[in-house]
Amino acid sequence: MRTRPLKVALLGCGVVGSEVARIMTTHADDLAARIGAPIELAGVAVRRPAKVREGIDPDLVTTDATALVKRGDIDVVVEVIGGIEPARTLITTAFEHGASVVSANKALLAQDGAALHAAAQEHKRDLYYEAAVAGAIPLIRPLRESLAGDKINRVMGIVNGTTNFILDKMDSTGAGYQEALDEATALGYAEADPTADVEGFDAAAKAAILAGISFHTRVRLDDVYREGMTEVTASDFASAKEMGCTIKLLAICERAADGGSVTARVHPAMIPLSHPLASVRGAYNAVFVESDAAGQLMFYGPGAGGAPTASAVLGDLVAVCRNKLNGSTGPGDSAYAQLPVSPMGEVVTRYHISLDVADKPGVLAQVATVFAEHGVSIDTVRQQGRQDGGGEASLVVVTHRASDASLNGTVEALRSLDTVRGVASIMRVEGE
């Protein structure tokens, strides 16, 4: 074993960073044995240096992150500060000064992953980011290494623990959205401002990363269709249960049937209870992968939190340090396919549409005619009069597979019918 330690700079020492530092210290001997050399925490860049950080030598703490990554003796930079800047500049500066990088920064990778990979390749350094998607779940490495010889056709998953906790609570207790969100906040699953989670921004960044790796195509955050879950209601869950489904906020990355394009999207969807993703409860994450040779694979586990995310960071750190000792680098950006990313209007799936209609003869025939005129085939229809009377009824239509554009045209035409009082909800049906 080499006795001279590999030096690690840590950018950020919050919930994840502090756990990375703790594991590096408490598991130092095991990590050294696995790597083939000891690792040394050489510096920790923070915004508030006066804060007491248990287990970290105060002499290692600095507010000058730029000076830390420019030192020249740093072998690996671990970036867990998040955001776009200064993270982007610090990572590229680290490459320029001889360090490889381990990052958990999903937002930056989704926006500028291609440029970061290019900088890493230019300076012959590693860029690893297992912790950027699904916390502790080994997912990035299996996709870009274990399945490198296979053709991945679809990746569908629950990649945000906060939203899954909220939807699971609504499903299991009948709670409304706000009530479930309040509980998630009280338990620490939701931030004071939950927008990034509940509006799908967090999941969309992860979808961009997963699609890029799976389809060897550069997919940016702007390419991902995003729809939040704040409009999901208890009535939607009741309808889902009648269909033998539940509702999840899904990140879905698909290769077109002809193989000529890909799509990436995030939105709430009904999913059959028989599908493995339907049983993912609480704040857990799970990703379902479909490929030509391996078939169907499921990756499941805690998708957030200090220790789980730090586990993924340390796994990358071990791999990058091994590469450093061997004078090599691991897999880089693979975007040779460069498939076009299709707009959401071309996505084909099933739909569940709930309409408020006049309770009188001929309404169903009118609605069916509109669907037929727009080329959308109906699978099932259920009509039920309101218990409170009032001359209105609920009409639920479940379609066969149709494009998003054709469904939107259908809905607009339905709104123009005098007998249709309103569109109560529209939800995609996935996983069949």
Side-chain angles (χ1 to χ4, degrees):
M1 178 186 293
R2 192 179 93 165
T3 57
R4 183 171 64 83
L6 294 164
K7 294 189 176 183
V8 178
L10 179 61
L11 307 183
C13 197
V15 173
V16 176
S18 60
E19 281 295 312
V20 170
R22 181 189 67 80
I23 296 172
M24 285 182 62
T25 301
T26 58
H27 296 179
D29 292 342
D30 285 340
L31 291 171
R34 294 166 191 172
I35 293 168
I39 54 176
E40 172 190 323
L41 187 59
V44 182
V46 299
R47 289 185 295 175
R48 295 182 291 274
K51 180 180 178 181
V52 176
R53 294 172 173 85
E54 186 177 350
I56 296 178
D57 184 348
D59 291 339
L60 296 179
V61 176
T62 178
T63 58
D64 194 343
T66 301
L68 179 59
V69 301
K70 282 184 174 181
R71 274 177 38 173
D73 64 335
I74 300 296
D75 295 292
V76 185
V77 169
V78 174
E79 182 271 308
V80 288
I81 57 177
I84 305 302
E85 288 291 358
R88 173 170 49 197
T89 298
L90 291 170
I91 289 174
T92 55
T93 301
F95 292 144
E96 293 166 1
H97 288 78
S100 290
V101 173
V102 173
S103 176
N105 197 330
K106 54 187 171 288
L108 178 58
L109 289 159
Q111 178 172 306
D112 288 320
L116 294 178
H117 275 293
Q121 184 176 8
E122 178 186 354
H123 296 284
K124 296 181 173 57
R125 302 299 167 199
D126 274 323
L127 174 62
Y128 276 49
Y129 44 91
E130 184 67 66
V133 180
I137 304 173
L139 182 60
I140 301 298
R141 194 171 289 117
L143 288 176
R144 72 176 186 176
E145 296 181 34
S146 302
L147 295 174
D150 206 343
K151 179 184 177 184
I152 297 173
N153 296 311
R154 196 173 202 236
V155 178
M156 180 170 71
I158 300 162
V159 294
N160 184 278
T162 300
T163 56
N164 198 59
F165 177 89
I166 293 170
L167 292 173
D168 182 41
K169 186 62 62 174
M170 292 175 70
D171 185 29
S172 60
T173 69
Y177 167 76
Q178 189 60 51
E179 183 183 351
L181 173 59
D182 289 344
E183 182 172 351
T185 304
L187 293 172
Y189 291 125
E191 301 287 345
D193 180 0
T195 302
D197 295 325
V198 300
E199 293 295 352
F201 290 101
D202 176 83
K206 296 169 182 176
I209 295 170
L210 292 175
I213 295 170
S214 300
F215 307 131
H216 306 280
T217 292
R218 291 196 176 99
V219 179
R220 289 171 51 89
L221 182 57
D222 291 345
D223 296 321
V224 181
Y225 172 84
R226 178 194 55 79
E227 184 181 318
M229 48 162 277
T230 57
E231 300 301 318
V232 176
T233 66
S235 295
D236 291 326
F237 274 101
S239 294
K241 287 181 179 180
E242 290 179 356
M243 290 179 59
C245 293
T246 187
I247 298 172
K248 300 291 185 181
L249 184 74
L250 298 177
I252 304 172
C253 312
E254 287 182 308
R255 188 190 300 270
D258 63 3
S261 64
V262 299
T263 59
R265 49 197 165 100
V266 169
H267 53 72
M270 293 183 179
I271 187 168
L273 295 175
S274 58
H275 194 282
L277 290 177
S279 61
V280 178
R281 310 302 297 270
Y284 275 74
N285 282 192
V287 177
F288 194 75
V289 178
E290 300 176 43
S291 68
D292 275 1
Q296 297 179 335
L297 305 171
M298 177 85 156
F299 299 85
Y300 170 85
T309 305
S311 171
V313 170
L314 267 294
D316 279 351
L317 181 60
V318 168
V320 169
C321 286
R322 286 171 175 169
N323 292 342
K324 180 79 173 181
L325 290 180
N326 294 331
S328 63
T329 56
D333 190 22
S334 176
Y336 72 89
Q338 276 307 300
L339 297 171
V341 181
S342 297
M344 186 63 186
E346 298 179 13
V347 170
V348 175
T349 189
R350 297 178 68 205
Y351 290 87
H352 177 282
I353 305 102
S354 180
L355 304 171
D356 295 327
V357 300
D359 190 5
K360 61 182 183 180
V363 173
L364 179 56
Q366 285 184 322
V367 169
T369 297
V370 170
F371 275 87
E373 289 174 347
H374 287 80
V376 178
S377 176
I378 294 175
D379 182 18
T380 62
V381 177
R382 184 177 72 255
Q383 183 171 347
Q384 182 175 354
R386 298 281 178 81
Q387 292 183 355
D388 59 0
E392 290 192 1
S394 294
L395 182 65
V396 175
V397 178
V398 180
T399 75
H400 287 290
R401 292 175 64 83
S403 72
D404 192 75
S406 63
L407 194 282
N408 286 339
T410 303
V411 171
E412 286 305 309
L414 288 171
R415 293 184 195 275
S416 68
L417 294 177
D418 291 339
T419 52
V420 174
R421 306 294 192 234
V423 180
S425 68
I426 303 171
M427 191 165 294
R428 297 168 183 89
V429 183
E430 303 284 351
E432 295 184 310

